[in-house]
Amino acid sequence: MSTSPESCAALVLNADFRPLSYFPLSLWPWQESVKAVFLDRVNIVSEYERVVRSPSFEMRLPSVISLKEFVPLNRRPAFTRFNVFLRDRFTCQYCARCCPTHELTFDHVVPRSRGGRTVWSNVVTACQGCNLMKGNRLPHHSNMYPRSRPSQPTTFELQENGRAFPPNYLHHSWRDFLYWDSELDPN
Ligand SMILES: [Zn+2]
């Protein structure tokens, strides 16, 4: 087997064995995971077949690692373009279409030219068409209102939305950890 080490990313679990994030899935390139093993910051939970060698050591590349120190996830999510899209579930807040990220943009509900600020409560996901159509107008001038009132999401809300976009390239050793953390049907 000649798998390239580049394709051997490690799934990173928090100290409680839950993935650090779902979308984008928390993955480290093999160099980083090997370094973290040597620095004793992580435990190896599962490994690839792929072995890396140097004159002084050899090891199988980790496929799942868990942090030794718990990283609290209740801090406020960063105000990034990506997190705005994730809060709005990659859906235009005016026409409700779900678009690929490269077709999405963000809209100031109160336009900047009218004093609107770039903050969670004034920025929504919009497709390019709606953004163009709304232009520099206020919602009641354009008759375009966001479908949900924008506000700062919690990390938990973003995680929940991230679950709706499962990655489609799961190594078999990752599945258990992603699966264990999914909601159980109470029936
Ligand atoms: Zn739209």
Side-chain angles (χ1 to χ4, degrees):
M1 283 231 306
S2 61
T3 334
S4 142
E6 268 60 47
S7 64
C8 294
L11 173 67
V12 187
L13 307 176
N14 210 337
D16 65 355
F17 285 77
R18 289 168 157 236
L20 274 185
S21 75
Y22 282 87
F23 191 72
L25 195 60
S26 44
L27 300 176
W28 286 357
W30 71 274
Q31 297 94 329
E32 246 180 274
S33 59
V34 167
K35 191 172 151 197
V37 170
F38 277 96
L39 294 173
D40 204 28
R41 292 197 179 133
V42 295
N43 294 309
I44 298 174
V45 180
S46 180
E47 296 169 322
Y48 289 105
E49 298 287 320
R50 184 70 162 82
V51 174
V52 284
R53 289 185 181 85
S54 81
S56 54
F57 86 105
E58 69 169 52
M59 73 181 284
R60 291 172 69 179
L61 290 176
S63 63
V64 181
I65 51 183
S66 67
L67 303 178
K68 292 196 170 177
E69 230 167 273
F70 185 75
V71 176
L73 295 177
N74 52 7
R75 57 181 187 264
R76 287 178 169 195
F79 181 51
T80 60
R81 178 184 286 256
F82 183 85
N83 280 345
V84 170
F85 292 166
L86 189 55
R87 178 196 66 184
D88 297 338
R89 297 189 176 89
F90 299 90
T91 303
C92 172
Q93 291 301 291
Y94 296 111
C95 69
R97 267 189 326 125
C98 191
C99 302
T101 41
H102 67 269
E103 289 175 24
L104 290 175
T105 171
F106 64 86
D107 178 68
H108 288 77
V109 180
V110 175
R112 280 153 60 102
S113 59
R114 293 166 185 262
R117 294 168 58 212
T118 307
V119 290
W120 282 112
S121 56
N122 191 48
V123 165
V124 295
T125 304
C127 71
Q128 288 168 0
C130 289
N131 201 356
L132 207 63
M133 196 149 69
K134 181 163 170 290
N136 271 334
R137 293 177 298 169
L138 291 164
H140 63 275
H141 289 150
S142 54
N143 203 24
M144 291 171 75
Y145 297 88
R147 299 171 66 84
S148 41
R149 190 191 168 89
S151 63
Q152 175 172 340
T154 62
T155 302
F156 178 76
E157 283 165 342
L158 291 187
Q159 289 270 341
E160 289 300 299
N161 289 353
R163 283 166 204 259
F165 300 92
N168 52 12
Y169 54 94
L170 301 182
H171 186 252
H172 63 86
S173 67
W174 300 354
R175 289 197 190 125
D176 283 344
F177 297 96
L178 297 172
Y179 175 74
W180 283 348
D181 199 31
S182 59
E183 294 288 313
L184 296 175
D185 270 335
N187 65 35

